[in-house]
Amino acid sequence: MPARMVRLKVVNRANIVTFYYSRDDGAWVKHPWQMEVSGYHHNVLGGFLSLKFGVYCAGRRGLKLRDFVYTALERS
């Protein structure tokens, strides 16, 4: 049975993007894929100032994106 709500968390630390998701129960689960994204900087491809977040939804039903929050992490 599909979840009624899924929360997503995308973390970019040292150019390694890690994905997390949470279904209705609220427990965060780390997705097994990570991406190394240093090749997407503006000095490599030209014109990109930062990575941009995107969501793709497949299927017959729609997607409602709400409560979007972007938080910059402090550099250590």
Side-chain angles (χ1 to χ4, degrees), residues 17-67:
V17 174
T18 306
F19 303 93
Y20 300 87
Y21 65 92
S22 174
R23 294 185 184 226
D24 295 327
D25 64 359
W28 287 108
V29 178
K30 182 178 175 182
H31 192 278
W33 294 349
Q34 289 183 309
M35 295 177 68
E36 201 284 328
V37 296
S38 65
Y40 291 102
H41 288 294
H42 70 281
N43 60 342
V44 175
L45 295 175
F48 294 160
L49 299 177
S50 66
L51 293 175
K52 294 188 171 51
F53 182 78
V55 176
Y56 173 78
C57 177
R60 295 181 185 182
R61 299 193 62 172
L63 168 77
K64 183 184 288 187
L65 183 64
R66 63 178 185 214
D67 298 328

